[in-house]
PDB file of all heavy atoms in Angstrom:
ATOM      1  N   LEU A   1      12.735 -39.016  34.635  1.00 95.00           N
ATOM      2  CA  LEU A   1      12.209 -39.424  35.944  1.00 95.00           C
ATOM      3  C   LEU A   1      13.299 -39.549  37.019  1.00 95.00           C
ATOM      4  O   LEU A   1      13.014 -39.320  38.224  1.00 95.00           O
ATOM      5  CB  LEU A   1      11.427 -40.758  35.706  1.00 95.00           C
ATOM      6  CG  LEU A   1      10.093 -40.660  35.072  1.00 95.00           C
ATOM      7  CD1 LEU A   1       9.482 -42.105  34.946  1.00 95.00           C
ATOM      8  CD2 LEU A   1       9.088 -39.772  35.846  1.00 95.00           C
ATOM      9  N   LYS A   2      14.481 -39.993  36.607  1.00 96.00           N
ATOM     10  CA  LYS A   2      15.566 -40.124  37.565  1.00 96.00           C
ATOM     11  C   LYS A   2      16.057 -38.834  38.170  1.00 96.00           C
ATOM     12  O   LYS A   2      16.782 -38.831  39.137  1.00 96.00           O
ATOM     13  CB  LYS A   2      16.736 -40.921  36.910  1.00 96.00           C
ATOM     14  CG  LYS A   2      16.416 -42.342  36.648  1.00 96.00           C
ATOM     15  CD  LYS A   2      17.648 -43.169  36.185  1.00 96.00           C
ATOM     16  CE  LYS A   2      17.258 -44.585  35.937  1.00 96.00           C
ATOM     17  NZ  LYS A   2      18.439 -45.332  35.411  1.00 96.00           N
ATOM     18  N   LEU A   3      15.640 -37.685  37.513  1.00 97.00           N
ATOM     19  CA  LEU A   3      15.920 -36.395  38.123  1.00 97.00           C
ATOM     20  C   LEU A   3      14.792 -35.878  39.051  1.00 97.00           C
ATOM     21  O   LEU A   3      14.920 -34.856  39.705  1.00 97.00           O
ATOM     22  CB  LEU A   3      16.358 -35.436  37.156  1.00 97.00           C
ATOM     23  CG  LEU A   3      17.610 -35.657  36.331  1.00 97.00           C
ATOM     24  CD1 LEU A   3      17.886 -34.448  35.369  1.00 97.00           C
ATOM     25  CD2 LEU A   3      18.782 -35.854  37.277  1.00 97.00           C
ATOM     26  N   VAL A   4      13.710 -36.558  38.950  1.00 96.00           N
ATOM     27  CA  VAL A   4      12.445 -36.123  39.637  1.00 96.00           C
ATOM     28  C   VAL A   4      12.191 -37.030  40.884  1.00 96.00           C
ATOM     29  O   VAL A   4      11.808 -36.561  41.913  1.00 96.00           O
ATOM     30  CB  VAL A   4      11.225 -36.081  38.638  1.00 96.00           C
ATOM     31  CG1 VAL A   4      10.002 -35.807  39.471  1.00 96.00           C
ATOM     32  CG2 VAL A   4      11.498 -35.165  37.579  1.00 96.00           C
ATOM     33  N   GLU A   5      12.379 -38.265  40.698  1.00 96.00           N
ATOM     34  CA  GLU A   5      11.981 -39.261  41.820  1.00 96.00           C
ATOM     35  C   GLU A   5      13.106 -39.439  42.757  1.00 96.00           C
ATOM     36  O   GLU A   5      14.241 -39.613  42.349  1.00 96.00           O
ATOM     37  CB  GLU A   5      11.541 -40.632  41.224  1.00 96.00           C
ATOM     38  CG  GLU A   5      10.305 -40.551  40.301  1.00 96.00           C
ATOM     39  CD  GLU A   5      10.009 -41.870  39.721  1.00 96.00           C
ATOM     40  OE1 GLU A   5      10.813 -42.829  39.849  1.00 96.00           O
ATOM     41  OE2 GLU A   5       8.904 -42.054  39.152  1.00 96.00           O
ATOM     42  N   GLU A   6      12.808 -39.426  44.065  1.00 95.00           N
ATOM     43  CA  GLU A   6      13.833 -39.693  45.067  1.00 95.00           C
ATOM     44  C   GLU A   6      14.573 -40.947  44.949  1.00 95.00           C
ATOM     45  O   GLU A   6      13.993 -42.008  44.650  1.00 95.00           O
ATOM     46  CB  GLU A   6      13.171 -39.574  46.469  1.00 95.00           C
ATOM     47  CG  GLU A   6      12.597 -38.280  46.899  1.00 95.00           C
ATOM     48  CD  GLU A   6      12.097 -38.140  48.280  1.00 95.00           C
ATOM     49  OE1 GLU A   6      12.060 -39.189  48.917  1.00 95.00           O
ATOM     50  OE2 GLU A   6      11.783 -37.058  48.754  1.00 95.00           O
ATOM     51  N   TYR A   7      15.875 -40.806  45.188  1.00 95.00           N
ATOM     52  CA  TYR A   7      16.885 -41.992  45.143  1.00 95.00           C
ATOM     53  C   TYR A   7      16.709 -42.762  43.851  1.00 95.00           C
ATOM     54  O   TYR A   7      17.034 -43.944  43.890  1.00 95.00           O
ATOM     55  CB  TYR A   7      16.588 -42.853  46.386  1.00 95.00           C
ATOM     56  CG  TYR A   7      16.976 -42.134  47.712  1.00 95.00           C
ATOM     57  CD1 TYR A   7      16.017 -41.553  48.459  1.00 95.00           C
ATOM     58  CD2 TYR A   7      18.287 -42.124  48.161  1.00 95.00           C
ATOM     59  CE1 TYR A   7      16.334 -40.799  49.617  1.00 95.00           C
ATOM     60  CE2 TYR A   7      18.687 -41.473  49.289  1.00 95.00           C
ATOM     61  CZ  TYR A   7      17.669 -40.846  49.983  1.00 95.00           C
ATOM     62  OH  TYR A   7      18.051 -40.155  51.191  1.00 95.00           O
ATOM     63  N   SER A   8      16.465 -42.054  42.740  1.00 95.00           N
ATOM     64  CA  SER A   8      16.497 -42.762  41.441  1.00 95.00           C
ATOM     65  C   SER A   8      17.845 -42.663  40.763  1.00 95.00           C
ATOM     66  O   SER A   8      18.169 -43.415  39.902  1.00 95.00           O
ATOM     67  CB  SER A   8      15.426 -42.187  40.573  1.00 95.00           C
ATOM     68  OG  SER A   8      14.203 -42.392  41.095  1.00 95.00           O
ATOM     69  N   LEU A   9      18.648 -41.646  41.140  1.00 96.00           N
ATOM     70  CA  LEU A   9      19.949 -41.403  40.615  1.00 96.00           C
ATOM     71  C   LEU A   9      21.040 -42.020  41.497  1.00 96.00           C
ATOM     72  O   LEU A   9      21.184 -41.598  42.641  1.00 96.00           O
ATOM     73  CB  LEU A   9      20.286 -39.968  40.406  1.00 96.00           C
ATOM     74  CG  LEU A   9      21.406 -39.534  39.505  1.00 96.00           C
ATOM     75  CD1 LEU A   9      21.219 -40.031  38.050  1.00 96.00           C
ATOM     76  CD2 LEU A   9      21.621 -38.057  39.575  1.00 96.00           C
ATOM     77  N   SER A  10      21.740 -43.039  41.026  1.00 95.00           N
ATOM     78  CA  SER A  10      22.677 -43.774  41.939  1.00 95.00           C
ATOM     79  C   SER A  10      24.169 -43.184  41.785  1.00 95.00           C
ATOM     80  O   SER A  10      24.520 -42.634  40.766  1.00 95.00           O
ATOM     81  CB  SER A  10      22.699 -45.229  41.498  1.00 95.00           C
ATOM     82  OG  SER A  10      23.339 -45.424  40.309  1.00 95.00           O
ATOM     83  N   THR A  11      24.865 -43.318  42.850  1.00 96.00           N
ATOM     84  CA  THR A  11      26.231 -42.963  42.831  1.00 96.00           C
ATOM     85  C   THR A  11      27.096 -43.791  41.812  1.00 96.00           C
ATOM     86  O   THR A  11      27.982 -43.312  41.161  1.00 96.00           O
ATOM     87  CB  THR A  11      26.869 -43.128  44.214  1.00 96.00           C
ATOM     88  OG1 THR A  11      26.101 -42.445  45.180  1.00 96.00           O
ATOM     89  CG2 THR A  11      28.298 -42.599  44.314  1.00 96.00           C
ATOM     90  N   ASP A  12      26.660 -45.047  41.646  1.00 95.00           N
ATOM     91  CA  ASP A  12      27.355 -45.911  40.591  1.00 95.00           C
ATOM     92  C   ASP A  12      27.169 -45.252  39.225  1.00 95.00           C
ATOM     93  O   ASP A  12      28.136 -45.229  38.429  1.00 95.00           O
ATOM     94  CB  ASP A  12      26.758 -47.355  40.584  1.00 95.00           C
ATOM     95  CG  ASP A  12      27.235 -48.111  41.763  1.00 95.00           C
ATOM     96  OD1 ASP A  12      28.210 -47.771  42.380  1.00 95.00           O
ATOM     97  OD2 ASP A  12      26.697 -49.193  42.014  1.00 95.00           O
ATOM     98  N   TYR A  13      26.022 -44.848  38.937  1.00 96.00           N
ATOM     99  CA  TYR A  13      25.802 -44.101  37.643  1.00 96.00           C
ATOM    100  C   TYR A  13      26.587 -42.892  37.494  1.00 96.00           C
ATOM    101  O   TYR A  13      27.223 -42.661  36.350  1.00 96.00           O
ATOM    102  CB  TYR A  13      24.288 -43.790  37.505  1.00 96.00           C
ATOM    103  CG  TYR A  13      23.934 -43.192  36.166  1.00 96.00           C
ATOM    104  CD1 TYR A  13      23.704 -43.999  35.038  1.00 96.00           C
ATOM    105  CD2 TYR A  13      23.842 -41.833  36.011  1.00 96.00           C
ATOM    106  CE1 TYR A  13      23.399 -43.450  33.786  1.00 96.00           C
ATOM    107  CE2 TYR A  13      23.546 -41.224  34.733  1.00 96.00           C
ATOM    108  CZ  TYR A  13      23.283 -42.033  33.638  1.00 96.00           C
ATOM    109  OH  TYR A  13      23.004 -41.500  32.459  1.00 96.00           O
ATOM    110  N   LEU A  14      26.693 -42.065  38.491  1.00 96.00           N
ATOM    111  CA  LEU A  14      27.567 -40.842  38.399  1.00 96.00           C
ATOM    112  C   LEU A  14      28.967 -41.212  38.172  1.00 96.00           C
ATOM    113  O   LEU A  14      29.644 -40.606  37.295  1.00 96.00           O
ATOM    114  CB  LEU A  14      27.423 -40.102  39.699  1.00 96.00           C
ATOM    115  CG  LEU A  14      26.060 -39.482  40.066  1.00 96.00           C
ATOM    116  CD1 LEU A  14      26.141 -38.791  41.385  1.00 96.00           C
ATOM    117  CD2 LEU A  14      25.555 -38.474  38.992  1.00 96.00           C
ATOM    118  N   SER A  15      29.441 -42.323  38.867  1.00 95.00           N
ATOM    119  CA  SER A  15      30.851 -42.778  38.710  1.00 95.00           C
ATOM    120  C   SER A  15      31.114 -43.249  37.237  1.00 95.00           C
ATOM    121  O   SER A  15      32.129 -42.949  36.637  1.00 95.00           O
ATOM    122  CB  SER A  15      31.120 -43.782  39.692  1.00 95.00           C
ATOM    123  OG  SER A  15      32.509 -44.362  39.531  1.00 95.00           O
ATOM    124  N   LEU A  16      30.240 -44.132  36.746  1.00 94.00           N
ATOM    125  CA  LEU A  16      30.476 -44.816  35.452  1.00 94.00           C
ATOM    126  C   LEU A  16      30.229 -43.962  34.281  1.00 94.00           C
ATOM    127  O   LEU A  16      30.833 -44.172  33.224  1.00 94.00           O
ATOM    128  CB  LEU A  16      29.661 -46.149  35.493  1.00 94.00           C
ATOM    129  CG  LEU A  16      30.059 -47.223  36.515  1.00 94.00           C
ATOM    130  CD1 LEU A  16      28.996 -48.304  36.467  1.00 94.00           C
ATOM    131  CD2 LEU A  16      31.439 -47.693  36.287  1.00 94.00           C
ATOM    132  N   VAL A  17      29.227 -43.067  34.392  1.00 95.00           N
ATOM    133  CA  VAL A  17      28.818 -42.249  33.178  1.00 95.00           C
ATOM    134  C   VAL A  17      29.168 -40.802  33.383  1.00 95.00           C
ATOM    135  O   VAL A  17      29.885 -40.232  32.543  1.00 95.00           O
ATOM    136  CB  VAL A  17      27.263 -42.446  33.031  1.00 95.00           C
ATOM    137  CG1 VAL A  17      26.854 -41.651  31.812  1.00 95.00           C
ATOM    138  CG2 VAL A  17      26.957 -43.918  32.777  1.00 95.00           C
ATOM    139  N   VAL A  18      28.546 -40.149  34.317  1.00 96.00           N
ATOM    140  CA  VAL A  18      28.709 -38.681  34.464  1.00 96.00           C
ATOM    141  C   VAL A  18      30.112 -38.161  34.664  1.00 96.00           C
ATOM    142  O   VAL A  18      30.605 -37.244  34.071  1.00 96.00           O
ATOM    143  CB  VAL A  18      27.832 -38.143  35.505  1.00 96.00           C
ATOM    144  CG1 VAL A  18      27.851 -36.598  35.649  1.00 96.00           C
ATOM    145  CG2 VAL A  18      26.324 -38.471  35.214  1.00 96.00           C
ATOM    146  N   ALA A  19      30.867 -38.926  35.584  1.00 94.00           N
ATOM    147  CA  ALA A  19      32.185 -38.472  35.970  1.00 94.00           C
ATOM    148  C   ALA A  19      33.260 -39.045  34.947  1.00 94.00           C
ATOM    149  O   ALA A  19      34.488 -38.844  35.251  1.00 94.00           O
ATOM    150  CB  ALA A  19      32.511 -38.976  37.342  1.00 94.00           C
ATOM    151  N   SER A  20      32.872 -39.674  33.887  1.00 86.00           N
ATOM    152  CA  SER A  20      33.814 -40.205  32.942  1.00 86.00           C
ATOM    153  C   SER A  20      34.473 -39.126  32.198  1.00 86.00           C
ATOM    154  O   SER A  20      34.120 -37.922  32.359  1.00 86.00           O
ATOM    155  CB  SER A  20      33.106 -41.214  31.988  1.00 86.00           C
ATOM    156  OG  SER A  20      32.278 -40.503  31.205  1.00 86.00           O
ATOM    157  N   SER A  21      35.466 -39.432  31.336  1.00 78.00           N
ATOM    158  CA  SER A  21      36.148 -38.489  30.574  1.00 78.00           C
ATOM    159  C   SER A  21      35.597 -38.144  29.251  1.00 78.00           C
ATOM    160  O   SER A  21      36.210 -37.666  28.369  1.00 78.00           O
ATOM    161  CB  SER A  21      37.660 -38.928  30.377  1.00 78.00           C
ATOM    162  OG  SER A  21      37.699 -40.166  29.715  1.00 78.00           O
ATOM    163  N   LEU A  22      34.317 -38.529  29.074  1.00 85.00           N
ATOM    164  CA  LEU A  22      33.649 -38.223  27.804  1.00 85.00           C
ATOM    165  C   LEU A  22      33.565 -36.688  27.572  1.00 85.00           C
ATOM    166  O   LEU A  22      33.481 -35.915  28.510  1.00 85.00           O
ATOM    167  CB  LEU A  22      32.211 -38.863  27.785  1.00 85.00           C
ATOM    168  CG  LEU A  22      32.046 -40.367  27.954  1.00 85.00           C
ATOM    169  CD1 LEU A  22      30.591 -40.715  28.098  1.00 85.00           C
ATOM    170  CD2 LEU A  22      32.709 -41.033  26.781  1.00 85.00           C
ATOM    171  N   SER A  23      33.530 -36.247  26.285  1.00 94.00           N
ATOM    172  CA  SER A  23      33.263 -34.925  25.945  1.00 94.00           C
ATOM    173  C   SER A  23      31.857 -34.581  26.281  1.00 94.00           C
ATOM    174  O   SER A  23      30.976 -35.496  26.443  1.00 94.00           O
ATOM    175  CB  SER A  23      33.581 -34.660  24.403  1.00 94.00           C
ATOM    176  OG  SER A  23      32.616 -35.400  23.660  1.00 94.00           O
ATOM    177  N   ASP A  24      31.499 -33.297  26.277  1.00 95.00           N
ATOM    178  CA  ASP A  24      30.172 -32.907  26.657  1.00 95.00           C
ATOM    179  C   ASP A  24      29.183 -33.482  25.554  1.00 95.00           C
ATOM    180  O   ASP A  24      28.021 -33.856  25.874  1.00 95.00           O
ATOM    181  CB  ASP A  24      30.028 -31.351  26.632  1.00 95.00           C
ATOM    182  CG  ASP A  24      30.832 -30.783  27.805  1.00 95.00           C
ATOM    183  OD1 ASP A  24      31.029 -31.515  28.791  1.00 95.00           O
ATOM    184  OD2 ASP A  24      31.129 -29.563  27.720  1.00 95.00           O
ATOM    185  N   GLU A  25      29.599 -33.501  24.321  1.00 96.00           N
ATOM    186  CA  GLU A  25      28.720 -34.021  23.236  1.00 96.00           C
ATOM    187  C   GLU A  25      28.442 -35.508  23.436  1.00 96.00           C
ATOM    188  O   GLU A  25      27.323 -36.006  23.330  1.00 96.00           O
ATOM    189  CB  GLU A  25      29.355 -33.729  21.907  1.00 96.00           C
ATOM    190  CG  GLU A  25      29.438 -32.318  21.439  1.00 96.00           C
ATOM    191  CD  GLU A  25      30.457 -31.486  22.170  1.00 96.00           C
ATOM    192  OE1 GLU A  25      31.336 -32.081  22.865  1.00 96.00           O
ATOM    193  OE2 GLU A  25      30.413 -30.255  22.145  1.00 96.00           O
ATOM    194  N   ARG A  26      29.534 -36.285  23.722  1.00 96.00           N
ATOM    195  CA  ARG A  26      29.338 -37.729  23.896  1.00 96.00           C
ATOM    196  C   ARG A  26      28.576 -38.025  25.164  1.00 96.00           C
ATOM    197  O   ARG A  26      27.799 -38.942  25.185  1.00 96.00           O
ATOM    198  CB  ARG A  26      30.694 -38.413  23.948  1.00 96.00           C
ATOM    199  CG  ARG A  26      31.462 -38.447  22.594  1.00 96.00           C
ATOM    200  CD  ARG A  26      32.817 -39.147  22.715  1.00 96.00           C
ATOM    201  NE  ARG A  26      32.514 -40.548  23.103  1.00 96.00           N
ATOM    202  CZ  ARG A  26      33.511 -41.435  23.453  1.00 96.00           C
ATOM    203  NH1 ARG A  26      34.718 -40.975  23.453  1.00 96.00           N
ATOM    204  NH2 ARG A  26      33.213 -42.640  23.803  1.00 96.00           N
ATOM    205  N   LEU A  27      28.829 -37.212  26.250  1.00 96.00           N
ATOM    206  CA  LEU A  27      28.059 -37.370  27.470  1.00 96.00           C
ATOM    207  C   LEU A  27      26.639 -37.100  27.191  1.00 96.00           C
ATOM    208  O   LEU A  27      25.717 -37.869  27.687  1.00 96.00           O
ATOM    209  CB  LEU A  27      28.596 -36.453  28.521  1.00 96.00           C
ATOM    210  CG  LEU A  27      27.824 -36.542  29.869  1.00 96.00           C
ATOM    211  CD1 LEU A  27      27.850 -38.001  30.490  1.00 96.00           C
ATOM    212  CD2 LEU A  27      28.490 -35.601  30.924  1.00 96.00           C
ATOM    213  N   ALA A  28      26.274 -36.091  26.444  1.00 96.00           N
ATOM    214  CA  ALA A  28      24.842 -35.822  26.175  1.00 96.00           C
ATOM    215  C   ALA A  28      24.234 -36.988  25.412  1.00 96.00           C
ATOM    216  O   ALA A  28      23.076 -37.323  25.688  1.00 96.00           O
ATOM    217  CB  ALA A  28      24.782 -34.542  25.348  1.00 96.00           C
ATOM    218  N   SER A  29      24.985 -37.581  24.504  1.00 95.00           N
ATOM    219  CA  SER A  29      24.454 -38.700  23.760  1.00 95.00           C
ATOM    220  C   SER A  29      24.172 -39.862  24.665  1.00 95.00           C
ATOM    221  O   SER A  29      23.238 -40.556  24.627  1.00 95.00           O
ATOM    222  CB  SER A  29      25.494 -39.132  22.661  1.00 95.00           C
ATOM    223  OG  SER A  29      25.039 -40.300  22.047  1.00 95.00           O
ATOM    224  N   GLU A  30      25.147 -40.157  25.661  1.00 96.00           N
ATOM    225  CA  GLU A  30      25.040 -41.213  26.563  1.00 96.00           C
ATOM    226  C   GLU A  30      23.810 -40.916  27.549  1.00 96.00           C
ATOM    227  O   GLU A  30      23.093 -41.873  27.873  1.00 96.00           O
ATOM    228  CB  GLU A  30      26.264 -41.381  27.379  1.00 96.00           C
ATOM    229  CG  GLU A  30      26.266 -42.595  28.342  1.00 96.00           C
ATOM    230  CD  GLU A  30      26.169 -43.913  27.638  1.00 96.00           C
ATOM    231  OE1 GLU A  30      26.637 -44.022  26.479  1.00 96.00           O
ATOM    232  OE2 GLU A  30      25.690 -44.841  28.317  1.00 96.00           O
ATOM    233  N   LEU A  31      23.656 -39.723  28.027  1.00 96.00           N
ATOM    234  CA  LEU A  31      22.608 -39.409  28.869  1.00 96.00           C
ATOM    235  C   LEU A  31      21.201 -39.571  28.133  1.00 96.00           C
ATOM    236  O   LEU A  31      20.241 -39.997  28.788  1.00 96.00           O
ATOM    237  CB  LEU A  31      22.694 -37.963  29.427  1.00 96.00           C
ATOM    238  CG  LEU A  31      23.891 -37.668  30.295  1.00 96.00           C
ATOM    239  CD1 LEU A  31      24.026 -36.176  30.530  1.00 96.00           C
ATOM    240  CD2 LEU A  31      23.676 -38.384  31.662  1.00 96.00           C
ATOM    241  N   SER A  32      21.137 -39.291  26.848  1.00 95.00           N
ATOM    242  CA  SER A  32      19.914 -39.477  26.089  1.00 95.00           C
ATOM    243  C   SER A  32      19.520 -40.916  26.004  1.00 95.00           C
ATOM    244  O   SER A  32      18.256 -41.155  25.889  1.00 95.00           O
ATOM    245  CB  SER A  32      20.209 -38.960  24.710  1.00 95.00           C
ATOM    246  OG  SER A  32      20.400 -37.511  24.702  1.00 95.00           O
ATOM    247  N   LYS A  33      20.516 -41.797  26.205  1.00 94.00           N
ATOM    248  CA  LYS A  33      20.184 -43.251  26.143  1.00 94.00           C
ATOM    249  C   LYS A  33      19.833 -43.854  27.552  1.00 94.00           C
ATOM    250  O   LYS A  33      19.013 -44.661  27.620  1.00 94.00           O
ATOM    251  CB  LYS A  33      21.294 -44.041  25.573  1.00 94.00           C
ATOM    252  CG  LYS A  33      21.721 -43.688  24.162  1.00 94.00           C
ATOM    253  CD  LYS A  33      23.004 -44.331  23.737  1.00 94.00           C
ATOM    254  CE  LYS A  33      23.471 -43.918  22.356  1.00 94.00           C
ATOM    255  NZ  LYS A  33      24.808 -44.607  21.999  1.00 94.00           N
TER     256      LYS A  33
END
């Protein structure tokens, strides 16, 4: 839903999760949660 609904994806989330140094596998696991 956060990829569908407007302003559901925050810059804080991108900074703390997506832009982190996790591997693609670990990032996929974190995104699934």
Side-chain angles (χ1 to χ4, degrees):
L1 286 178
K2 289 186 178 180
L3 293 185
V4 175
E5 296 179 349
E6 291 185 354
Y7 292 95
S8 296
L9 191 64
S10 71
T11 305
D12 285 345
Y13 182 82
L14 296 177
S15 175
L16 296 172
V17 178
V18 178
S20 66
S21 57
L22 299 174
S23 65
D24 293 339
E25 290 75 15
R26 291 183 60 191
L27 177 57
S29 176
E30 184 64 27
L31 292 171
S32 298
K33 300 174 186 176

